[in-house]
């Protein structure tokens, strides 16, 4: 179908990959829990745009360039790890502020991470600064593209459309689940602080994992 080989196998693999936790999904969940459905979808839009850029770069062969250039890969890798660390510090600082204010008036809204937050931009950058994602896209996608098909770009579009559809469903589930968490956060400051601390720790873990990644 349109140069795509073994579509059922691709869909099964894609489902497993989408469901694996990562910084993108964690950030969307965090935004939805703190700021509601609209902000959650704003962050999700950043993820979808970032993934689209990565898919396009992968189809254009940029991923192969990164894989073959250790210096370039290292630059992208450490910039990405640094940005994730910066987000983690912001979350931990916000969590500390929540702990100090936990005896304030019940029902107050938890402090937003880093003051003025731009969910779309942050999610977009988190998506882009992930060289392992670029390498994954090229390594995974090419296995399902018929090399003899006359229009390989169309094959990538089909594969990418399925990937985005899975992502929309998954992130939507996280967003609506996050709004339920928000109700608990507003009632329980310690829960909000603990959850934000956990998210910050996970982002630090993602940064460490990315910094030690190899081509």
């Amino acid at each position: 179908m349109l140069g795509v080989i073994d579509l059922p196998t691709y869909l099964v693999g894609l489902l497993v990959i989408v469901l694996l936790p990562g910084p993108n999904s964690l950030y969307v969940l965090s935004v939805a829990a703190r700021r509601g459905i609209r902000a959650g979808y704003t962050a999700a839009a950043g993820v979808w745009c970032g993934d689209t850029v990565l898919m396009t770069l992968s189809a254009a062969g940029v991923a192969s360039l990164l894989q073959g250039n250790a210096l370039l890969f290292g630059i992208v890798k450490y910039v990405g790890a640094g940005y994730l660390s910066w987000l983690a510090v912001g979350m931990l600082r916000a969590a500390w502020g929540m702990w100090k204010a936990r005896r304030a008036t019940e029902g107050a809204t938890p402090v937003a991470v880093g003051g003025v937050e731009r969910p779309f931009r942050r999610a977009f950058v988190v998506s882009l600064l992930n060289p392992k994602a670029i390498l994954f896209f090229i390594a995974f996608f090419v296995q399902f593209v018929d090399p003899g098909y006359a229009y390989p770009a169309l094959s990538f579009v089909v594969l990418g459309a399925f990937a985005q559809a899975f992502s929309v469903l998954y992130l939507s589930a996280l967003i609506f689940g996050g709004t339920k968490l928000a109700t608990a956060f507003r009632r329980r400051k310690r829960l909000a602080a603990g959850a934000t601390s956990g998210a910050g720790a996970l982002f630090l873990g993602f940064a460490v994992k990315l910094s030690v990644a190899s081509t």
Side-chain angles (χ1 to χ4, degrees):
M1 182 186 74
L2 300 177
V4 176
I5 302 172
D6 199 1
L7 181 60
T9 300
Y10 169 75
L11 294 178
V12 172
L14 182 62
L15 177 62
V16 173
I17 292 164
V18 168
L19 292 178
L20 290 175
N24 293 349
S25 57
L26 178 61
Y27 181 67
V28 171
L29 176 61
S30 173
V31 170
R34 291 181 286 105
R35 300 181 55 182
I37 292 177
R38 183 174 181 178
Y41 271 108
T42 299
V47 172
W48 297 326
C49 289
D51 286 348
T52 298
V53 171
L54 292 182
M55 293 176 195
T56 303
L57 293 176
S58 297
V62 174
S64 298
L65 175 63
L66 276 178
Q67 192 171 21
N69 190 319
L71 176 60
L72 182 59
F73 180 86
I75 291 173
V76 176
K77 178 176 69 174
Y78 288 117
V79 169
Y83 187 74
L84 291 177
S85 298
W86 178 74
L87 288 180
V89 170
M91 289 181 176
L92 292 174
R93 289 179 60 188
W96 176 247
M98 292 177 194
W99 280 112
K100 292 192 297 183
R102 67 183 183 276
R103 294 180 180 176
T105 304
E106 288 294 321
T109 302
V111 179
V113 176
V116 178
E117 185 178 14
R118 297 177 176 84
F120 178 89
R121 187 176 69 179
R122 286 195 177 185
F124 182 73
V125 175
V126 167
S127 296
L128 287 182
L129 295 179
N130 189 350
K132 297 300 290 185
I134 299 176
L135 298 179
F136 156 75
F137 277 126
I138 192 65
F140 189 64
F141 276 24
V142 295
Q143 297 179 42
F144 301 94
V145 175
D146 184 356
Y149 187 63
Y151 307 101
L154 183 58
S155 303
F156 277 100
V157 169
V158 173
L159 296 174
F162 278 113
Q164 292 289 44
F166 277 41
S167 179
V168 168
L169 294 175
Y170 178 55
L171 292 183
S172 293
L174 292 182
I175 288 169
F176 284 98
T179 56
K180 292 183 178 180
L181 289 176
T183 301
F185 285 177
R186 284 190 288 268
R187 294 176 180 174
R188 302 179 182 180
K189 291 296 184 65
R190 291 186 179 184
L191 177 61
T196 304
S197 298
L202 284 174
F203 265 75
L204 280 178
F206 289 135
V208 172
K209 182 178 180 180
L210 179 58
S211 67
V212 300
S214 62
T215 57

